[in-house]
Amino acid sequence: MSILYAVGHLALGHICGFLTSKASKTDINMPLILLLSVIPDVDILIPQLQHRGPTHSIVAAFIVFIPFFIVYKKKATPYFAALTQHFLIGDFIVGGNIQLFWPITTQYYLSPFGMNIGIKSPVNIAAEWILFIASISIMLKTNQAATFLKPHHSNLLLFIPLLTVLLPTFQNFPVNVPTWLILPHLAYIFIFSASIITDLRGVLKYIQHALRKLCFRLQAAPLETNLYASPHLVSIQY
Ligand SMILES: [Zn+2]
């Protein structure tokens, strides 16, 4: 049985999202694409869910996306591609067992085309590097990389992708990362952290500004009260 590391899932999700956005002539929100690329593995953190169970089902994904297809039409396609590539390509075709048709059936399916490549094998490590380089090249060539450093609240969505690269690299959870793949993991950690900090700085500035305005009003309030409370001024007003 083999799977991809977070780096492979993120890179493949980005590439699939990018290609479908080109085909459908729509723009993509990078943090959301990256979040959807790894979100099926949230089942690792939920004890009630089996790994590669309902969150890896094409039927469940389609049901969840029906309202988005109705509202956003073709604009939803890149996000659907980013989500479904995780289990259709990253887990199923590469060789993992998944509950492909949950809730119709809880049976786990193994792809007949499963490549059965070991996760720590040189072939898998090379494949993850190729996907990573391809994804970074697209980001640089299309100027998507610059969007990470623009303050936008969607940058905070990168907190989940950040955890998926941070935990395996430093906590060996849920798998330990081979030495050869530490560099792309660190690169993603750096990019996602920078993007989150960029937005948080904007949020902090906003809070600082709001607090200053509040302090100014609080300082001005007693003065106004005293002015109106003054009998002299009251008499002038009359
Ligand atoms: Zn998975």
Side-chain angles (χ1 to χ4, degrees), residues 2-61:
S2 57
I3 49 168
L4 291 175
Y5 287 99
V7 162
H9 279 305
L10 288 163
L12 192 56
H14 171 232
I15 295 166
C16 290
F18 171 74
L19 292 177
T20 39
S21 78
K22 283 281 150 201
S24 58
K25 295 189 175 103
T26 53
D27 289 330
I28 50 172
N29 177 299
M30 282 291 291
L32 186 54
I33 287 283
L34 293 168
L35 171 71
L36 291 169
S37 305
V38 289
I39 204 68
D41 279 347
V42 76
D43 58 9
I44 293 169
L45 303 171
I46 303 171
Q48 289 80 9
L49 285 179
Q50 285 180 303
H51 184 39
R52 296 194 208 129
T55 58
H56 288 60
S57 158
I58 184 69
V59 179

Side-chain angles (χ1 to χ4, degrees), residues 50-230:
Q50 285 180 303
H51 184 39
R52 296 194 208 129
T55 58
H56 288 60
S57 158
I58 184 69
V59 179
F62 190 70
I63 292 169
V64 168
F65 260 79
I66 286 174
F68 296 103
F69 277 124
I70 292 170
V71 176
Y72 297 105
K73 299 185 175 62
K74 66 176 185 177
K75 281 186 183 173
T77 317
Y79 303 100
F80 185 71
L83 175 73
T84 52
Q85 63 73 31
H86 175 106
F87 44 85
L88 289 182
I89 305 173
D91 288 343
F92 186 59
I93 291 181
V94 175
N97 262 329
I98 63 168
Q99 282 187 339
L100 190 60
F101 300 112
W102 185 93
I104 297 168
T105 169
T106 54
Q107 192 183 330
Y108 275 79
Y109 287 89
L110 186 64
S111 167
F113 314 107
M115 291 178 244
N116 211 21
I117 302 162
I119 190 167
K120 290 186 179 173
S121 69
V123 176
N124 188 59
I125 290 171
E128 302 226 14
W129 261 106
I130 291 167
L131 290 169
F132 173 73
I133 291 168
S135 170
I136 294 290
S137 304
I138 293 170
M139 284 183 196
L140 293 173
K141 205 172 177 188
T142 57
N143 218 21
Q144 285 174 340
T147 61
F148 285 112
L149 296 176
K150 284 183 185 159
H152 195 280
H153 292 336
S154 68
N155 296 6
L156 300 181
L157 295 175
L158 290 170
F159 190 68
I160 302 285
L162 176 64
L163 281 182
T164 65
V165 279
L166 206 59
L167 291 177
T169 310
F170 295 107
Q171 300 291 321
N172 295 334
F173 176 82
V175 283
N176 62 325
V177 175
T179 314
W180 279 98
L181 284 176
I182 286 178
L183 192 62
H185 276 77
L186 290 177
Y188 275 140
I189 289 169
F190 177 75
I191 295 168
F192 300 161
S193 304
S195 187
I196 291 169
I197 290 167
T198 302
D199 187 53
L200 284 179
R201 277 176 61 190
V203 172
L204 283 175
K205 269 186 189 169
Y206 177 79
I207 293 172
Q208 205 177 17
H209 181 70
L211 283 174
R212 262 192 207 148
K213 269 175 86 173
L214 186 69
C215 286
F216 181 75
R217 278 190 184 176
L218 286 173
Q219 280 172 350
L223 186 66
E224 282 173 20
T225 313
N226 288 341
L227 280 172
Y228 285 108
S230 161

